[in-house]
Amino acid sequence: MDFLKSQWDGFVGEFKNMNARQLIGQGVNLGLVVTSALIIWKSLMLITGSESPVVVVLSGSMEPGFQRGDILFLNMGTKPARTGEIVVFNIDGRDIPIVHRVIKVHERAHEDHLDILTKGDNNYGD
C-alpha cells in the first residue's frame, strides 16, 4: 500500500510542478486521444454496418475456433444467415454479445422472417 501511495504522490507532484501552459497542453493531448478513439469507432461502425464492430470472445463456447479473449471484427452482411455461418447476436436484457454457429435456419413461407437456431462449437448438448 505504501508503494501505491508513493506512486500517487509522485504523480500528483508532477502536476503541481507544471505551469498553466503545460497543463493546458496535457488536457489538449488527452482530448485529442479521446476524440481520435471515438472517430475510429464511429468510422468502423459506418464501414461495417454494425453498431458494435469489434467484440471480444468472453466464453469458451466456440473453442477451438475462437478462444476466450479473441477479438472479432464484425461485418454486417446483406444476405441472410445460412447454416454453418458464425453469427454474433444480443439477447434482450443481456449486454454481452453471443458468438455462435448457425445450425438450422427456419424460413417461413408466408412471412419475411427467419428463425435461426445457433449453438457454440464447444457445446455438445442439443
Side-chain angles (χ1 to χ4, degrees):
M1 196 66 160
D2 290 332
F3 173 74
L4 290 176
K5 184 172 178 357
S6 66
Q7 290 294 317
W8 179 254
D9 290 342
F11 181 71
V12 171
E14 286 183 32
F15 273 106
K16 287 182 180 178
N17 292 334
M18 287 184 183
N19 63 29
R21 185 174 182 176
Q22 290 173 323
L23 284 173
I24 291 170
Q26 290 294 325
V28 168
N29 284 336
L30 178 63
L32 288 172
V33 168
V34 171
T35 303
S36 296
L38 289 174
I39 289 172
I40 290 169
W41 184 260
K42 288 294 186 181
S43 298
L44 283 172
M45 286 175 68
L46 289 173
I47 292 168
T48 63
S50 174
E51 69 181 44
S52 183
V54 179
V55 295
V56 176
V57 177
L58 297 175
S59 74
S61 68
M62 284 299 289
E63 290 179 355
F66 299 120
Q67 304 291 324
R68 286 185 185 123
D70 284 355
I71 298 173
L72 305 178
F73 292 92
L74 307 180
N75 185 18
M76 194 73 144
T78 56
K79 297 178 182 177
R82 294 289 166 222
T83 302
E85 293 181 343
I86 295 171
V87 295
V88 178
F89 58 94
N90 289 326
I91 295 177
D92 291 336
R94 293 185 63 184
D95 295 332
I96 300 171
I98 298 171
V99 180
H100 276 177
R101 188 177 304 276
V102 176
I103 58 172
K104 190 160 187 168
V105 177
H106 301 279
E107 296 186 48
R108 298 179 184 177
H110 61 282
E111 295 180 25
D112 189 27
H113 182 75
L114 292 176
D115 290 326
I116 300 173
L117 181 62
T118 66
K119 183 172 116 177
D121 289 352
N122 201 23
N123 297 338
Y124 297 109
D126 281 336

